[in-house]
Amino acid sequence: MRIEADRDRCEGLGMCEAMAPDFFEVGDDGRVVVHEEHPDEEHRQDLTAAVDACPVLALKLRD
């Protein structure tokens, strides 16, 4: 699994960080920072919730 983040689309609303703070952070530039691009499968549920919570659809999970 791989996390993809479209930093150009990101508006820094922080929903991903609220849902999965171990994996996402709103950086100093107001855009998402992905801490672990290839997370373990055991985190899929939390990451799916975080991706689905993004109101501007800036995040994707790829297999």
Side-chain angles (χ1 to χ4, degrees):
M1 170 173 48
R2 180 169 55 101
I3 300 170
E4 289 183 359
D6 183 341
R7 290 179 44 84
D8 291 329
R9 182 176 281 228
C10 179
E11 294 183 3
L13 300 170
M15 297 303 294
C16 57
E17 184 176 10
M19 300 292 290
D22 291 339
F23 297 94
F24 302 103
E25 177 182 2
V26 176
D28 292 338
D29 64 354
R31 310 276 179 174
V32 66
V33 175
V34 178
H35 291 294
E36 188 175 339
E37 191 175 319
H38 296 280
D40 293 333
E41 187 66 31
E42 68 190 66
H43 301 290
R44 184 177 289 272
Q45 185 174 355
D46 291 338
L47 292 169
T48 298
V51 167
D52 291 345
C54 180
V56 297
L57 306 174
L59 300 170
K60 293 181 183 175
L61 285 181
R62 301 280 188 198
D63 288 317

